[in-house]
Amino acid sequence: MAPSSVSGFRYARLADDLESRIRDGVYRSGEKMPSLRKLRHQTGLSITTVYQAYIELEKRGVVEPRQKSGYYVKPQLSRILPPPEAQKLRPVPKKVTMDTLAYSIVADMGNPDFLPMGGTVVMPELLPFKQLVRCIRSESMEAMKRSLMRYEKPYGNDELKRQIAKRMVGQARQDVLDEMVVTTGCIEAVSLCLQAVGAAGDTVVVESPTYPWFLQIIEDQNKFALEIPTDPQTGIDLAQLERAVQKNTVAACLLVPNFHNPLGYEMPVEKKKALVEMMGRKHIPIIEDNIHGELYFGNARPTTLKSMDRRGLVLHCASFSKTLSPGLRVGWTLPGRFADRVKRLKMNSTVASPTLNQQVVARFLKTGGFERHLRRLRTALKNQISNTALAIARHFPDGTRITAPQGGLSLWVELDKGVDGLKVFQEARKRRISIFPGIICSTTGRYRNYIRISCGYPWSEKMETGIVTLATIVKQMI
Ligand SMILES: Cc1ncc(COP(=O)(O)O)c(C=O)c1O
């Protein structure tokens, strides 16, 4: 985002000046810019020149007008730094051995003394706490009694399933009520689905890098992970995937096509269609993790693989952990032709997910505030990612590369080849900053010079100081 003109025109010079102040963090993404009058006062320029400067900034995609309110700094999601390079790797099935590092990372994530840039969690203030409490309070004693004093239906609360089914219109091809299983978070959905599609010793395709907890599940189910090179902007490499499934017997693919964690891309629609078609021809099930599907930064909710599936081979998994409450642990799956198997596994594992939690989410969805809440949440996350990315661009050394997420809440940062992300993580930990070392997103030992920074918390001076500290740690390692 470099100022694009060094023109003789006054309005262009003012636009350049304002743009560099945005880049320097004086005006932050989502913040209101000074009014025309105020700028006229400050600069001594005419109101027409100031107005032209704003029109120029709008053309450059740096500010946006809001009706009757003035100009606001537009979140910058691309053009900040170059994207990380796509990795070249030879896909080979690997036994997974996650070490204890994952546990210390989880411990840091929950520690309130740490600067929270590690876990992909949304700040509680961005979630509808009061409305959820109201939903709990408004349950009658009779309803409470019914929910606390008996088992819920094994595959989920009827009202919750109806509410989820309404949200799934356009995201799944047919009626989903019979197929749906309510789970305890998305991770249980993924775990049950992976169990349902195969057995110990199987090979499971994942993106490279992938969400580390997938690797842990694969390890605990005694399966092998087959990592496929993944483009940071468009997702898994289909040509390499095709070659890999020809060479290896693959039991399933476990993918995050929408707002991948950690890469943040949305797989283009045509690529999604080609993926579903290719795996369909080979009868390979795809477990689609759509946990971030509602956290899009564009104009429309992304399409799902599930909506393109005619053969019942896509097992769709999601939850409300990033949109309503991670603590309620309410998720769901639509396991296609594997529904009976998943239902049986669900009964074997927990009989049913907690009734009260399901009722609370159902009531919240029914009261109709969800869409409004999601709009606010998306705007906040977009601004948080933009402010974090701009701060990385300001403070990290030259050569740093970052993703331009199209949704979700993480930034994937490629550091100089000589920098060990694990050491950055350890040094940051000493300074009570929680981040995520890239190396745990793979079984291959790759991504040593990568870190993931989560943007679930609003931008603040503390965050800026945290980024400066991280940049200092990184610079000392070059
Ligand atoms: C891709 C992905 N899947 C699953 C989960 C876990 O979801 P839940 O908390 O609903 O179990 C996360 C959490 O960050 C995630 O990023």
Side-chain angles (χ1 to χ4, degrees):
M1 198 182 63
S4 51
S5 81
V6 188
S7 147
F9 291 112
R10 284 181 191 174
Y11 79 87
R13 284 206 303 271
L14 176 59
D16 288 350
D17 184 18
L18 291 172
E19 187 173 352
S20 58
R21 279 165 211 267
I22 290 170
R23 205 176 53 244
D24 292 344
V26 175
Y27 303 115
R28 294 172 178 167
S29 304
E31 252 178 26
K32 191 171 186 310
M33 292 294 287
S35 66
L36 298 180
R37 245 188 237 174
K38 189 165 178 199
L39 263 188
R40 185 191 61 174
H41 235 75
Q42 278 180 288
T43 60
L45 296 167
S46 72
I47 206 105
T48 316
T49 306
V50 173
Y51 180 60
Q52 276 180 315
Y54 274 131
I55 299 284
E56 172 64 21
L57 285 175
E58 199 185 336
K59 271 195 221 148
R60 294 184 196 173
V62 177
V63 300
E64 57 193 351
R66 287 195 203 154
Q67 244 185 4
K68 295 193 186 146
S69 179
Y71 284 92
Y72 285 75
V73 182
K74 204 171 165 182
Q76 298 297 309
L77 299 169
S78 55
R79 300 195 295 135
I80 295 176
L81 285 177
E85 294 193 62
Q87 294 276 313
K88 292 185 186 71
L89 71 99
R90 210 162 55 84
V92 186
K94 282 232 159 61
K95 185 111 198 83
V96 185
T97 42
M98 296 290 282
D99 63 20
T100 49
L101 177 63
Y103 303 110
S104 54
I105 295 172
V106 173
D108 292 354
M109 283 177 190
N111 188 335
D113 297 337
F114 273 66
L115 198 63
M117 295 199 262
T120 43
V121 288
V122 177
M123 186 201 197
E125 282 68 14
L126 291 176
L127 296 174
F129 170 68
K130 282 192 187 140
Q131 292 96 312
L132 287 171
V133 170
R134 232 176 281 137
C135 289
I136 296 172
R137 291 214 178 113
S138 61
E139 291 292 336
S140 66
M141 279 307 267
E142 199 43 47
M144 282 278 201
K145 189 172 169 191
R146 279 201 304 273
S147 63
L148 298 181
M149 298 304 153
R150 63 171 201 200
Y151 288 111
E152 183 50 273
K153 289 189 177 162
Y155 318 130
N157 173 275
D158 284 338
E159 184 55 34
L160 175 66
K161 285 172 69 176
R162 225 168 56 79
Q163 294 300 330
I164 295 174
K166 284 186 187 173
R167 301 202 62 78
M168 291 303 298
V169 172
Q171 302 233 305
R173 288 177 70 84
Q174 65 283 66
D175 171 36
V176 294
L177 280 178
D178 272 354
E179 187 187 337
M180 190 184 304
V181 180
V182 172
T183 57
T184 303
C186 184
I187 210 70
E188 188 194 28
V190 168
S191 177
L192 296 178
C193 288
L194 194 58
Q195 228 177 313
V197 295
D202 280 348
T203 294
V204 181
V205 159
V206 289
E207 291 120 344
S208 187
T210 184
Y211 175 57
W213 271 257
F214 289 172
L215 295 177
Q216 194 160 287
I217 294 172
I218 291 172
E219 178 181 7
D220 289 345
Q221 294 188 9
N222 283 314
K223 292 173 179 165
F224 292 82
L226 177 57
E227 284 181 45
I228 305 291
T230 298
D231 185 283
Q233 297 176 85
T234 63
I236 196 160
D237 182 324
L238 292 190
Q240 297 243 29
L241 175 62
E242 183 150 39
R243 279 198 292 279
V245 297
Q246 266 156 12
K247 248 174 113 180
N248 302 276
T249 307
V250 167
C253 301
L254 171 50
L255 306 176
V256 188
N258 291 326
F259 319 128
H260 180 265
N261 182 356
L263 294 173
Y265 61 79
E266 175 187 341
M267 185 187 278
V269 177
E270 290 310 315
K271 198 167 169 180
K272 283 179 181 157
K273 283 185 189 157
L275 170 68
V276 172
E277 182 50 35
M278 185 199 299
M279 292 300 113
R281 265 188 276 117
K282 295 178 191 300
H283 306 289
I284 299 175
I286 306 172
I287 300 168
E288 172 185 43
D289 181 326
N290 196 43
I291 190 167
H292 297 125
E294 296 282 8
L295 304 181
Y296 53 88
F297 300 156
N299 294 326
R301 192 160 67 148
T303 49
T304 58
L305 303 183
K306 185 76 186 167
S307 68
M308 300 164 182
D309 176 36
R310 290 165 209 272
R311 298 176 169 98
L313 280 172
V314 174
L315 299 87
H316 181 90
C317 302
S319 79
F320 294 102
S321 301
K322 313 290 170 178
T323 51
L324 278 186
S325 155
L328 283 172
R329 311 296 305 129
V330 177
W332 71 96
T333 175
L334 298 170
R337 64 165 78 164
F338 301 91
D340 288 345
R341 180 86 189 115
V342 170
K343 286 176 181 176
R344 188 181 162 123
L345 290 166
K346 172 67 187 169
M347 278 195 77
N348 291 348
S349 96
T350 53
V351 181
S353 290
T355 321
L356 190 58
N357 300 21
Q358 296 187 59
Q359 275 176 342
V360 169
V361 174
R363 191 175 277 266
F364 182 85
L365 297 177
K366 216 170 149 184
T367 52
F370 195 40
E371 278 308 325
R372 203 172 342 114
H373 157 66
L374 284 176
R375 274 197 297 278
R376 250 186 262 131
L377 180 58
R378 287 180 202 121
T379 303
L381 292 178
K382 207 164 29 167
N383 286 322
Q384 284 161 208
I385 289 202
S386 167
N387 282 319
T388 312
L390 287 166
I392 291 172
R394 276 197 294 279
H395 302 296
F396 272 54
D398 288 349
T400 304
R401 293 167 167 265
I402 50 172
T403 44
Q406 290 156 289
L409 39 148
S410 15
L411 275 173
W412 183 240
V413 185
E414 181 181 352
L415 305 168
D416 182 276
K417 294 233 171 352
V419 176
D420 185 343
L422 193 53
K423 288 206 180 118
V424 177
F425 160 76
Q426 283 154 349
E427 287 303 313
R429 195 163 190 245
K430 286 184 202 157
R431 293 163 178 81
R432 301 198 161 260
I433 300 172
S434 152
I435 55 159
F436 213 80
I439 194 166
I440 72 162
C441 296
S442 173
T443 55
T444 62
R446 276 162 195 274
Y447 311 113
R448 195 162 256 287
N449 59 317
Y450 289 76
I451 53 174
R452 188 193 73 186
I453 293 188
S454 171
C455 309
Y457 278 64
W459 194 245
S460 63
E461 295 308 324
K462 247 174 122 178
M463 292 289 187
E464 178 97 23
T465 310
I467 293 288
V468 171
T469 308
L470 287 176
T472 310
I473 295 171
V474 170
K475 282 176 189 159
Q476 282 164 355
M477 292 184 185
I478 293 178

Short mmCIF file of all heavy atoms in Angstrom, two decimals, residues 120 185-187 211 214 256 261 289 291-292 319 321-322 329, ligand 1:
data_model
loop_
_atom_site.label_atom_id
_atom_site.label_comp_id
_atom_site.label_asym_id
_atom_site.label_seq_id
_atom_site.Cartn_x
_atom_site.Cartn_y
_atom_site.Cartn_z
N THR A 120 -6.95 -19.32 17.98
CA THR A 120 -7.95 -18.67 17.11
C THR A 120 -9.26 -18.57 17.88
O THR A 120 -10.22 -19.29 17.63
CB THR A 120 -8.15 -19.45 15.79
OG1 THR A 120 -8.22 -20.84 16.10
CG2 THR A 120 -7.04 -19.19 14.81
N GLY A 185 -18.98 -29.39 19.73
CA GLY A 185 -17.98 -28.61 18.99
C GLY A 185 -17.68 -29.24 17.64
O GLY A 185 -18.09 -30.36 17.34
N CYS A 186 -16.94 -28.47 16.84
CA CYS A 186 -16.58 -28.93 15.49
C CYS A 186 -15.56 -30.06 15.57
O CYS A 186 -15.54 -30.95 14.74
CB CYS A 186 -16.02 -27.75 14.71
SG CYS A 186 -15.64 -28.10 13.01
N ILE A 187 -14.73 -30.00 16.60
CA ILE A 187 -13.64 -30.97 16.67
C ILE A 187 -14.20 -32.37 16.91
O ILE A 187 -13.69 -33.35 16.35
CB ILE A 187 -12.57 -30.54 17.71
CG1 ILE A 187 -11.20 -31.06 17.31
CG2 ILE A 187 -12.91 -30.93 19.12
CD1 ILE A 187 -10.61 -30.38 16.13
N TYR A 211 -4.38 -27.62 10.09
CA TYR A 211 -4.75 -27.29 11.48
C TYR A 211 -4.18 -28.40 12.37
O TYR A 211 -4.50 -29.59 12.17
CB TYR A 211 -6.28 -27.22 11.54
CG TYR A 211 -6.86 -27.00 12.90
CD1 TYR A 211 -6.50 -25.89 13.66
CD2 TYR A 211 -7.79 -27.89 13.44
CE1 TYR A 211 -7.06 -25.69 14.91
CE2 TYR A 211 -8.35 -27.68 14.68
CZ TYR A 211 -7.97 -26.58 15.42
OH TYR A 211 -8.52 -26.38 16.66
N PHE A 214 -5.98 -31.53 13.72
CA PHE A 214 -6.29 -32.62 12.78
C PHE A 214 -5.20 -33.68 12.87
O PHE A 214 -5.48 -34.87 12.86
CB PHE A 214 -6.34 -32.11 11.33
CG PHE A 214 -7.52 -31.24 10.99
CD1 PHE A 214 -7.58 -30.58 9.77
CD2 PHE A 214 -8.58 -31.09 11.88
CE1 PHE A 214 -8.66 -29.80 9.43
CE2 PHE A 214 -9.67 -30.29 11.55
CZ PHE A 214 -9.70 -29.65 10.32
N VAL A 256 -10.12 -27.79 4.84
CA VAL A 256 -10.82 -26.56 5.27
C VAL A 256 -10.87 -25.61 4.06
O VAL A 256 -10.02 -24.73 3.93
CB VAL A 256 -10.08 -25.90 6.46
CG1 VAL A 256 -10.91 -24.74 7.04
CG2 VAL A 256 -9.74 -26.90 7.55
N ASN A 261 -7.46 -22.55 8.28
CA ASN A 261 -6.61 -22.25 9.44
C ASN A 261 -5.34 -23.06 9.25
O ASN A 261 -5.42 -24.30 9.24
CB ASN A 261 -7.34 -22.68 10.72
CG ASN A 261 -6.56 -22.37 11.97
OD1 ASN A 261 -5.43 -21.90 11.91
ND2 ASN A 261 -7.14 -22.66 13.13
N ASP A 289 -14.35 -29.13 6.88
CA ASP A 289 -14.46 -28.34 8.11
C ASP A 289 -14.81 -26.91 7.71
O ASP A 289 -14.01 -26.21 7.10
CB ASP A 289 -13.12 -28.41 8.87
CG ASP A 289 -13.14 -27.63 10.18
OD1 ASP A 289 -13.83 -26.60 10.23
OD2 ASP A 289 -12.45 -28.03 11.12
N ILE A 291 -15.85 -24.44 9.87
CA ILE A 291 -16.04 -23.69 11.12
C ILE A 291 -15.98 -22.18 10.92
O ILE A 291 -16.63 -21.42 11.64
CB ILE A 291 -15.03 -24.15 12.20
CG1 ILE A 291 -15.39 -23.54 13.56
CG2 ILE A 291 -13.60 -23.84 11.82
CD1 ILE A 291 -14.68 -24.15 14.74
N HIS A 292 -15.19 -21.73 9.93
CA HIS A 292 -15.07 -20.28 9.72
C HIS A 292 -15.97 -19.76 8.60
O HIS A 292 -15.85 -18.60 8.20
CB HIS A 292 -13.61 -19.93 9.38
CG HIS A 292 -12.66 -20.25 10.49
ND1 HIS A 292 -11.54 -21.05 10.33
CD2 HIS A 292 -12.66 -19.90 11.79
CE1 HIS A 292 -10.91 -21.17 11.48
NE2 HIS A 292 -11.56 -20.49 12.39
N SER A 319 -19.41 -25.47 13.67
CA SER A 319 -19.85 -25.22 15.06
C SER A 319 -20.12 -23.73 15.25
O SER A 319 -19.86 -22.92 14.36
CB SER A 319 -18.78 -25.68 16.05
OG SER A 319 -17.75 -24.72 16.14
N SER A 321 -18.57 -22.17 17.71
CA SER A 321 -17.48 -21.76 18.61
C SER A 321 -16.86 -20.41 18.25
O SER A 321 -16.37 -19.71 19.12
CB SER A 321 -16.38 -22.82 18.63
OG SER A 321 -16.91 -24.05 19.06
N LYS A 322 -16.86 -20.07 16.96
CA LYS A 322 -16.24 -18.79 16.56
C LYS A 322 -17.28 -17.70 16.35
O LYS A 322 -16.92 -16.56 16.08
CB LYS A 322 -15.46 -18.97 15.25
CG LYS A 322 -14.55 -20.17 15.20
CD LYS A 322 -13.37 -20.01 16.10
CE LYS A 322 -12.64 -21.34 16.19
NZ LYS A 322 -11.46 -21.31 17.00
N ARG A 329 -19.92 -25.30 23.38
CA ARG A 329 -19.49 -26.51 22.67
C ARG A 329 -20.61 -27.10 21.81
O ARG A 329 -20.92 -28.28 21.88
CB ARG A 329 -18.98 -27.60 23.65
CG ARG A 329 -17.98 -27.16 24.68
CD ARG A 329 -16.65 -26.68 24.10
NE ARG A 329 -16.00 -27.62 23.22
CZ ARG A 329 -15.56 -27.30 22.00
NH1 ARG A 329 -15.71 -26.07 21.52
NH2 ARG A 329 -14.96 -28.18 21.26
C1 LIG B 1 -10.26 -25.50 11.47
C2 LIG B 1 -10.78 -25.71 12.85
N1 LIG B 1 -11.53 -26.78 13.13
C3 LIG B 1 -12.02 -27.02 14.37
C4 LIG B 1 -11.74 -26.17 15.41
C5 LIG B 1 -12.27 -26.46 16.79
O1 LIG B 1 -13.63 -26.17 16.81
P1 LIG B 1 -14.54 -26.35 18.12
O2 LIG B 1 -14.00 -25.45 19.17
O3 LIG B 1 -15.91 -26.02 17.68
O4 LIG B 1 -14.43 -27.79 18.53
C6 LIG B 1 -10.97 -25.02 15.17
C7 LIG B 1 -10.65 -24.09 16.26
O5 LIG B 1 -9.85 -23.19 16.14
C8 LIG B 1 -10.48 -24.79 13.86
O6 LIG B 1 -9.74 -23.71 13.57
#
